[in-house]
Amino acid sequence: MGAPTNRPHDDAAPDATFDTELPMRGVPQPSRAEALALPGLRISRHPVVASKLTALRDATTSPAQFYALTRELGALLAYEAPADLETEPCAIQTPLESMGGRRLAGGGGVAPILRAGLWLAEGVRQALPEAQVWHLGLRRDERTLRPIHYYNQLARASNLHVCYVVDPMLATGGSAIDALDLLTAQGVRQLRYLALIAAPYGLLALRRAYPETPIYVAAVDDRLDERGYICPGLGDAGDRQFNTL
Ligand code: PRP
Ligand code: URA
């Protein structure tokens, strides 16, 4: 996808590899306004989400705080995201009398994109404790920005009527689209995508590939830098969460 320069690799220059392999260099990017106009995109307006996201972005936030915040944000977004989960009637007894209530019918799933989606998914599970968890191992190649698929643990038979694909960062959209392709091939029809921070480039790519899939995010940022990082963003979500910077 990138437009690498033709400059020969020069070992004498400290940032030679970097200069010749900046994958987003020269790649046109849509504006934030274009992204905000996309159909089916919902952006959280909850002040608690905004405040926790600001703490997450802060470079001084420690890995321990980072993963605690990620998990809290996962739970908050799961409550806020389009709630089309099925419920079924049930009879209960309150301390005073019997009544008919409703409980979640099951058939909900969450698919974290590893690694960074793990703690976000744990937060979603706080809201949906019965959810099946389908792990998807995708790692972005730093040079091409294409996702590399290294692992998945999907259920053999799909009885999911809705599945949330979760990942803190939607950058070029490659990982999100691969994840949705995998789950679609597995027979899951009602897919939802949930992220913390999205770049306009990735949002447009995801919307083009999956025009109907609801997208729920905490924030839409300005752009990708030349290495494909979201700006202003929060840096590398996986490394900050797992203390591997
Ligand atoms: C990050 C992030 C997304 C992906 C986004 O993961 O968590 O999965 O990059 O980029 P894209 O939209 O351009 O595909 P990364 O590949 O760094 O792996 P990690 O979670 O193991 O750190
Ligand atoms: N992955 C991250 O962790 N951060 C970004 O900004 C982009 C991709």
Side-chain angles (χ1 to χ4, degrees), residues 52-83:
K52 287 186 187 295
L53 186 63
T54 300
L56 199 70
R57 290 178 186 275
D58 190 328
T60 65
T61 295
S62 70
Q65 293 169 310
F66 194 94
Y67 84 71
L69 285 164
T70 304
R71 184 175 168 152
E72 288 162 16
L73 281 162
L76 289 167
L77 289 187
Y79 286 120
E80 257 200 290

Side-chain angles (χ1 to χ4, degrees), residues 83-172:
D84 49 3
L85 299 166
E86 284 177 18
T87 58
E88 58 192 11
C90 65
I92 58 156
Q93 182 78 35
T94 77
L96 299 180
E97 56 189 55
S98 58
M99 66 167 280
R102 299 202 70 81
R103 65 177 169 217
L104 286 171
V110 55
I113 301 182
L114 307 183
R115 291 173 298 169
L118 270 174
W119 284 105
L120 205 55
E122 281 307 303
V124 173
R125 290 180 77 194
Q126 263 175 254
L128 306 173
E130 307 295 336
Q132 289 185 20
V133 183
W134 292 22
H135 293 95
L136 301 177
L138 296 174
R139 179 175 63 76
R140 196 167 78 144
D141 181 291
E142 286 179 9
R143 199 176 53 80
T144 64
L145 298 186
R146 291 299 312 150
I148 297 167
H149 184 181
Y150 61 86
Y151 177 79
N152 74 49
Q153 185 65 54
L154 312 177
R156 271 184 295 278
S158 166
N159 63 349
L160 296 186
H161 59 74
V162 57
C163 183
Y164 293 86
V165 176
V166 302
D167 190 339
M169 311 303 274
L170 177 69
T172 65

